[in-house]
Amino acid sequence: MRLIDVTARFKTDDDCLEYLESLRWPNGEIGCVHCGEIGRISKITRESKGKNRRTRIYQCSACEKQFSATSGTIFHDSHLPLVKWFTAIALICEGKKSVSACQLQRHIGGSYRTSWYLAHRIREAMQEGNLLGGVVEADETFLRPRKPRKGGPKVTNPNRMVVLGMIERGGKAEANSSG
């Protein structure tokens, strides 16, 4: 999703919360994130605007703990509006070489410290655990140049270049060459 699409679709925190709830509970049945209870959930409404501006807070009748769609996510325990979070995610994902904390500060406002913390949490959430896992097949081949290079850097072994290919059974492929 492009930055312009994000700003058009998510104008308020309620739009963002609605999207997060549809991702977390796709069938519409809200479940407790602590104990897994599905049926006995009550909604807490806030009439006065306080420090915590989240409007959709739920409470489980089984374990009596409160939660929201942001519980257990990168948005948890953040007083920054979700609109700024979504904008920062779009900026970081859209940039070819990511976005610095200073640039993020200029785009979403706030302090440098907040922008750095925001970028750090987003990048940490984007990391994958292992590159390849499970059953991995590997193969290598040696390629020779068709013509010797004229000028430029000298190749240490001009006769061949190693190409290594690896694939995880299930579809994820990686290739690496050295030369």
Side-chain angles (χ1 to χ4, degrees):
M1 191 176 275
R2 297 175 305 170
L3 178 62
I4 196 162
D5 298 332
V6 170
T7 55
R9 183 172 176 188
F10 304 110
K11 293 178 180 158
T12 64
D13 272 5
D14 281 334
D15 295 339
C16 299
L17 277 171
E18 187 175 314
Y19 178 71
L20 289 175
E21 285 179 359
S22 70
L23 287 178
R24 187 160 221 171
W25 302 295
N27 58 0
E29 293 183 23
I30 297 171
C32 179
V33 298
H34 302 287
C35 68
E37 183 70 30
I38 292 180
R40 301 173 12 199
I41 307 295
S42 57
K43 186 175 183 179
I44 298 172
T45 57
R46 296 174 189 250
E47 293 182 14
S48 64
K49 293 274 186 179
K51 235 181 165 179
N52 190 349
R53 291 173 285 198
R54 299 280 191 259
T55 56
R56 298 181 186 187
I57 305 287
Y58 302 98
Q59 184 168 0
C60 178
S61 299
C63 66
E64 297 184 3
K65 292 185 179 178
Q66 293 181 356
F67 62 93
S68 70
T70 61
S71 298
T73 65
I74 59 172
F75 314 114
H76 184 69
D77 282 341
S78 172
H79 293 286
L80 199 64
L82 288 174
V83 174
K84 288 189 178 190
W85 271 98
F86 280 40
T87 305
I89 290 170
L91 283 168
I92 288 174
C93 290
E94 195 173 81
K96 187 174 183 179
K97 294 184 178 182
S98 191
V99 175
S100 69
C102 287
Q103 187 176 357
L104 202 58
Q105 176 190 5
R106 287 190 298 268
H107 285 292
I108 66 168
S111 68
Y112 172 79
R113 186 175 175 186
T114 301
S115 299
W116 181 88
Y117 183 69
L118 186 68
H120 180 72
R121 281 179 90 169
I122 293 168
R123 287 187 190 115
E124 188 176 332
M126 289 171 61
Q127 288 180 354
E128 292 185 31
N130 296 328
L131 187 61
L132 298 172
V135 179
V136 177
E137 297 175 14
D139 195 14
E140 79 278 345
T141 186
F142 299 95
L143 300 176
R144 294 184 185 173
R146 291 186 180 177
K147 293 182 181 178
R149 295 183 183 182
K150 294 182 181 178
K154 297 288 182 186
V155 179
T156 56
N157 189 352
N159 296 330
R160 60 185 183 173
M161 179 173 72
V162 180
V163 176
L164 174 69
M166 296 170 55
I167 189 164
E168 176 183 347
R169 288 205 181 154
K172 192 190 260 186
E174 279 293 318
N176 191 3
S177 65
S178 65

